[in-house]
Amino acid sequence: MDVMPAMRSIWNGAITFGLISIPVRLFTAVEEKSLKFHQLHASDNGRIRYKRVCSLDEEEVPYDEIVKGYEYEKDRYVVFSDEELEKDVEIRPQELTMAKALIDNLTDHFHPDQFTDSYRQRLEAAAEAKIAGQEVAVAPTAEPTQILDLMEALKASVEATKAKRDASEAEAAEPARASG
């Protein structure tokens, strides 16, 4: 029987809107399908490798012997464990309410066929062309879209959610008034 390992977040952080901070964890949800590149030495195509080497004893260090240290003075560190660095955040009820409203407003049905990885497709086509010995041309990029003010967009989004919720509450109350 195959046992799947527990999902671990690949990034922990927070989204901050002014005084509002929403803790976020990022999990891998898709299978890796990108092309993998290696760095090569230009003169002989020898593969470039990276080693974690201690600056004091010139020895290679395995990952399980590496810790995080904060340099508070030149060459003087305080060491932290992973547990000590974990984002214990107290969330105010107002922040939670706004986060839920934002999530409700942005939630929609997922249709994976609407999304394609055009970068990967172009990269694979360019790699195939190079393999076949063809010349590769670079297509011009599209003009960037207009950037919106994030706070104004957030306010409009929350207002739209409130209006939708108020309308649905009014509809739910209408049959109660008619029968009562």
Side-chain angles (χ1 to χ4, degrees):
M1 175 189 319
D2 290 334
V3 177
M4 291 190 68
M7 288 187 66
R8 294 183 58 193
S9 62
I10 59 172
W11 179 80
N12 294 327
I15 298 174
T16 304
F17 300 103
L19 298 176
I20 298 167
S21 181
I22 304 168
V24 176
R25 286 188 182 170
L26 180 65
F27 293 90
T28 303
V30 295
E31 179 183 346
E32 180 66 41
K33 292 187 178 183
S34 64
L35 300 177
K36 295 188 185 333
F37 290 98
H38 296 285
Q39 292 184 334
L40 305 175
H41 187 217
S43 64
D44 60 8
N45 287 342
R47 186 147 169 220
I48 306 298
R49 304 218 184 258
Y50 291 96
K51 292 185 176 185
R52 297 162 311 281
V53 178
C54 176
S55 62
L56 299 178
D57 60 16
E58 301 292 323
E59 297 281 327
E60 187 172 357
V61 180
Y63 278 114
D64 62 349
E65 292 182 17
I66 296 176
V67 295
K68 293 182 176 130
Y70 171 73
E71 186 176 28
Y72 63 94
E73 288 179 7
K74 178 78 172 140
D75 295 328
R76 298 194 53 119
Y77 301 90
V78 289
V79 177
F80 289 91
S81 68
D82 289 339
E83 293 79 25
E84 290 175 309
L85 295 175
E86 283 190 9
K87 292 258 187 145
D88 241 359
V89 178
E90 187 174 322
I91 301 171
R92 297 186 341 218
Q94 301 92 330
E95 294 172 331
L96 187 59
T97 301
M98 184 169 217
K100 286 180 180 178
L102 182 62
I103 290 168
D104 289 342
N105 190 37
L106 297 176
T107 300
D108 199 0
H109 294 287
F110 178 63
H111 302 286
D113 55 331
Q114 293 178 338
F115 303 95
T116 60
D117 188 352
S118 59
Y119 175 77
R120 181 177 55 87
Q121 292 169 346
R122 289 192 315 270
L123 193 56
E124 286 175 343
E128 290 297 324
K130 280 189 169 271
I131 291 169
Q134 299 174 7
E135 196 64 34
V136 178
V138 178
T141 59
E143 289 293 319
T145 58
Q146 182 180 6
I147 299 174
L148 301 175
D149 180 16
L150 183 58
M151 280 306 289
E152 290 301 318
L154 179 61
K155 287 177 186 176
S157 174
V158 170
E159 289 300 319
T161 301
K162 283 182 184 177
K164 188 181 356 173
R165 184 176 52 231
D166 292 344
S168 64
E169 287 175 359
E171 288 176 13
E174 191 66 33
R177 278 192 229 132
S179 64

